[in-house]
Amino acid sequence: MTSSDTLKFLESFLAKDFEAEYHRRRPRRRAEPLVITLSRDFGAGGEALAADLAHFLDLPIYDKEILDRVADKTRIDKSHFEHHDEDSAERISDLLYNLMFGTAATRYDYRRALIEVVTELARSDCIIVGRGAHLILAGRKVFRLRVVGSRAVCGERIAAELGIGQAEAERLVFETNNKRHKSVQTLFSDLYDACSLEHAINFDLVLNTDHLPAGNALPTVLMAVRQFGFEIFDLGQREAS
């Protein structure tokens, strides 16, 4: 589907009487912020879909900079928290880490600050990628999206992106996804039941991009967001040409 076809498709589903071009849309002033959390498998295209959503809905995206905000809040250098973050290359115990680096920073310091940062971000329209935000904001009106894919298909994408072999790419997909799963479980298992990323009930939409690539998934997600109860457009109001 071309970009032009996608926009026509979106207009027909999202706003029957919305005839102007999509760039003339005007967001509705909402009683609550439009917040989307996006959890993703490595290679499933979640970051690309987040970018498409951010562009179409004019929302900021928060991803790796969340760690910077956590560090600012705790006044502890972010290097002391990186082994707790979902993209960390290793997982070591708090005791061993403290002995190695001489800091009292623990996963509980990181979690407490992370919860505060995510909660603060969710007071305004935004997209929050990863970091267990779907759990932190459970019970609030936020749209919780998970983007998944098989190891083979995700591996094909990573192999093409990084210029590596299929076997190496699939290994990287497995290791990265395993790391993200362990990060969420380590941080939140004592606070939330069934916090595994594989627990579909923790999400409002689970999107498999094996056969619906992330680049073509925007209409599906937007329709789901609207069905969820968020007004995406202020119908009947248009900006002047």
Side-chain angles (χ1 to χ4, degrees):
M1 183 179 291
T2 66
S3 176
S4 177
D5 290 337
T6 299
L7 294 176
K8 291 178 181 178
F9 183 78
L10 287 170
E11 288 179 3
S12 67
F13 275 87
L14 295 175
K16 293 181 180 178
D17 60 341
F18 190 70
E19 299 173 354
E21 295 294 331
Y22 85 102
H23 60 274
R24 296 179 181 178
R25 65 190 182 278
R26 185 172 184 174
R28 180 184 295 275
R29 298 188 68 177
R30 308 178 191 88
E32 66 285 316
L34 170 54
V35 178
I36 299 173
T37 68
L38 193 150
S39 170
R40 73 281 185 230
D41 280 349
F42 185 55
E47 288 83 0
L49 180 54
D52 286 344
L53 284 166
H55 175 72
F56 196 90
L57 297 173
D58 193 23
L59 300 178
I61 300 176
Y62 298 104
D63 187 354
K64 296 183 183 301
E65 61 270 33
I66 290 175
L67 191 61
D68 294 322
R69 291 175 178 253
V70 168
D72 288 342
K73 183 171 288 292
T74 59
R75 297 184 179 180
I76 297 175
D77 189 277
K78 72 176 183 179
S79 64
H80 297 311
F81 288 125
E82 285 176 339
H83 71 295
H84 296 309
D85 190 67
E86 65 175 29
D87 288 327
S88 171
E90 59 182 338
R91 304 210 58 78
I92 56 179
S93 71
D94 289 331
L95 177 59
L96 178 58
Y97 187 83
N98 295 340
L99 290 174
M100 290 168 59
F101 296 99
T103 175
T106 70
R107 68 171 57 92
Y108 301 107
D109 296 315
Y110 173 72
R111 183 176 72 183
R112 180 172 58 253
L114 177 64
I115 290 173
E116 291 179 5
V117 167
V118 169
T119 302
E120 290 169 0
L121 292 175
R123 292 173 183 162
S124 302
D125 296 358
C126 67
I127 297 171
I128 304 174
V129 177
R131 276 77 195 177
H134 66 288
L135 295 173
I136 295 171
L137 300 175
R140 299 183 53 175
K141 187 175 181 180
V142 300
F143 187 78
R144 301 177 298 171
L145 172 64
R146 177 148 173 79
V147 183
V148 301
S150 67
R151 190 189 306 182
V153 173
C154 290
E156 289 178 6
R157 296 176 182 142
I158 296 301
E161 179 181 342
L162 301 182
I164 59 179
Q166 179 70 18
E168 182 181 358
E170 288 190 26
R171 177 188 58 77
L172 188 58
V173 167
F174 173 78
E175 291 179 351
T176 303
N177 288 338
N178 189 51
K179 187 164 42 183
R180 290 174 178 174
H181 279 264
K182 286 184 177 180
S183 174
V184 170
Q185 290 179 316
T186 299
L187 283 173
F188 299 112
S189 61
D190 61 329
L191 293 181
Y192 305 99
D193 294 330
C195 66
S196 169
L197 294 176
E198 296 179 348
H199 200 57
I201 200 170
N202 289 330
F203 302 95
D204 301 302
L205 176 66
V206 178
L207 185 70
N208 184 342
T209 62
D210 276 12
H211 303 293
L212 178 61
N216 295 334
L218 182 61
T220 300
V221 176
L222 289 176
M223 283 188 287
V225 170
R226 188 166 186 181
Q227 287 295 313
F228 188 77
F230 283 117
E231 290 291 344
I232 297 176
F233 301 122
D234 187 356
L235 304 180
Q237 292 193 36
R238 300 169 187 161
E239 294 182 2
S241 299

